[in-house]
Amino acid sequence: MTTEALAGLAAAGGAALVGAMATDAWQTARTRFLQLLGRDHRLDCIEGHLEAQADVVERTAESRREEARAALLPGWHFQLADFLQQHPEAEQELRQAIEQVWWELPEKYQRQVEAHFDVRAGRDAYTSAHDMTVTHHHGDRSSP
């Protein structure tokens, strides 16, 4: 798996996991990610970490939950990328977990996971946490 593909898959996994916190999809996400990450024999630690973070999102005012999720996302992105480097054989299992959680997420979180999942990084790749406009010029950049 290329570094770019690994990063995209880890980002999608993180988006699915934190997107599920404080939603009806949480139990599915919790179960699937514990099964996946528990292979490192750190199950108790990971379970405690997941529960504490989900509790933070749950206790956060509805109007600020996106902010709480956004704060948690980079940590899960890093942890899942590190996990995939150590366990490349888990790629398909992570993809299946993301898909299963995606189907249970509210629609607005489905779009976020889908965006992370479909990003292919490279020379001409762009990502944003908010709205943005991208203009791509082929060839001579001096012409409009």
Side-chain angles (χ1 to χ4, degrees):
M1 175 184 294
T2 67
T3 302
E4 292 85 8
L6 179 112
L9 185 57
L17 183 61
V18 300
M21 292 176 179
T23 72
D24 291 340
W26 174 240
Q27 287 308 314
T28 297
R30 180 187 176 282
T31 300
R32 290 302 303 262
F33 281 85
L34 281 175
Q35 289 170 344
L36 182 71
L37 297 170
R39 70 181 67 207
D40 277 348
H41 309 292
R42 305 176 295 170
L43 191 57
D44 290 341
C45 178
I46 292 168
E47 186 173 21
H49 192 63
L50 277 173
E51 291 300 326
Q53 289 187 349
D55 189 52
V56 166
V57 174
E58 184 73 37
R59 288 184 292 116
T60 300
E62 187 79 35
S63 62
R64 298 197 61 208
R65 282 189 179 164
E66 288 311 303
E67 187 180 337
R69 287 183 178 101
L72 298 174
L73 185 57
W76 284 107
H77 177 192
F78 178 82
Q79 186 163 342
L80 288 168
D82 183 59
F83 174 80
L84 285 172
Q85 284 183 333
Q86 294 177 32
H87 300 283
E89 75 283 358
E91 174 190 354
Q92 188 58 35
E93 187 179 348
L94 177 56
R95 287 181 187 281
Q96 291 169 348
I98 292 167
E99 186 173 349
Q100 183 178 5
V101 171
W102 183 85
W103 283 105
E104 293 185 27
L105 285 172
E107 187 177 330
K108 76 182 205 177
Y109 300 117
Q110 286 179 347
R111 287 190 304 267
Q112 291 172 358
V113 173
E114 197 168 43
H116 282 290
F117 204 51
D118 288 339
V119 166
R120 298 292 184 257
R123 187 178 68 83
D124 295 322
Y126 303 90
T127 60
S128 174
H130 299 286
D131 293 339
M132 85 179 192
T133 302
V134 175
T135 305
H136 180 77
H137 299 278
H138 294 282
D140 183 8
R141 293 183 185 242
S142 63
S143 62

